[in-house]
């Protein structure tokens, strides 16, 4: 599984702590690694502030992973390129957000990614990522175990 962190998420821990809390990106990744072990999956992480670099990562990682946990940050609300990359590689993904985007400004209510996602987890702080990961793994297990597949 690959976890994609978009722009400004490298600042977690110091960035607007009233919105995003005090947990750092390293803390988030450590929590994901801990959650992955009992789920029996491996996780890799990638953070970039650049839209094209995120597209490149998705294309590249899709050759080795079964799915993605994606917090695209502000690109969630703007990036057709990232949406097309995720659709293009045809791997299931979960969209996650640290904050509850629906309790915030209107421009955060629109997501270019949600329509193609298995599901969306928003507002649980760093736990959004681990909840997203377990939802994705559950989804993949069902797909594999589905009769006739
Ligand atoms: C975010 C929400 C986005 O609206 C914002 O642009 C971010 C972080 C979140 O995790 O809550 O950068 O994705």
């Amino acid at each position: 599984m690959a976890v994609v962190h978009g722009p400004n998420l490298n600042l977690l821990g110091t960035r607007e702590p009233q919105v995003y809390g005090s947990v750092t990106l390293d803390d988030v990744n450590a929590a994901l690694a801990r959650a992955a072990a009992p789920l029996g999956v491996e996780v890799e992480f990638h953070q970039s502030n650049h839209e094209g670099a995120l597209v490149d990562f998705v294309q590249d990682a899709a050759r080795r992973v079964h799915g993605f946990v994606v917090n695209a940050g502000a690109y969630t609300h703007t990036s057709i390129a990232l949406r097309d990359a995720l659709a293009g590689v045809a791997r299931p993904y979960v969209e996650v957000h640290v904050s509850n985007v629906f309790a915030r400004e209107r421009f955060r209510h629109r997501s270019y990614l949600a329509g193609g996602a298995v599901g969306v987890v928003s507002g649980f702080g760093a736990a959004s990522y681990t909840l997203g990961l377990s939802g994705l793994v559950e989804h993949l297990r069902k797909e594999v175990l589905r009769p006739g597949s």
Side-chain angles (χ1 to χ4, degrees):
M1 244 47 78
V3 181
V4 180
H5 303 287
N8 300 305
L9 290 161
N10 54 314
L11 299 180
L12 275 183
T14 55
R15 168 194 190 199
E16 301 180 81
Q18 71 286 2
V19 178
Y20 299 112
S22 56
V23 170
T24 67
L25 194 62
D26 283 347
D27 295 334
V28 169
N29 289 343
L32 281 162
R34 277 196 302 276
L39 290 170
V41 297
E42 286 177 16
V43 271
E44 61 176 278
F45 311 102
H46 185 76
Q47 190 277 327
S48 178
N49 293 326
H50 304 279
E51 187 176 14
L54 294 168
V55 169
D56 285 343
F57 176 76
V58 166
Q59 291 184 8
D60 186 52
R63 290 195 229 117
R64 54 182 183 271
V65 303
H66 289 100
F68 293 90
V69 174
V70 183
N71 184 352
Y75 289 142
T76 306
H77 318 298
T78 63
S79 181
I80 298 170
L82 195 53
R83 174 204 182 106
D84 285 353
L86 288 161
V89 300
R91 294 278 180 279
Y93 65 93
V94 173
E95 174 183 327
V96 303
H97 299 285
V98 175
S99 64
N100 177 359
V101 288
F102 301 103
R104 301 181 63 194
E105 304 95 322
R106 227 175 211 305
F107 62 82
R108 295 185 204 276
H109 299 185
R110 180 180 71 175
S111 167
Y112 278 110
L113 309 184
V118 172
V120 179
V121 186
S122 185
F124 292 96
S128 291
Y129 284 93
T130 46
L131 290 166
L133 178 67
S134 58
L136 179 63
V137 171
E138 178 77 18
H139 170 82
L140 282 161
R141 295 238 153 89
K142 275 201 209 116
E143 287 275 289
V144 171
L145 299 175
R146 198 178 41 182
S149 69

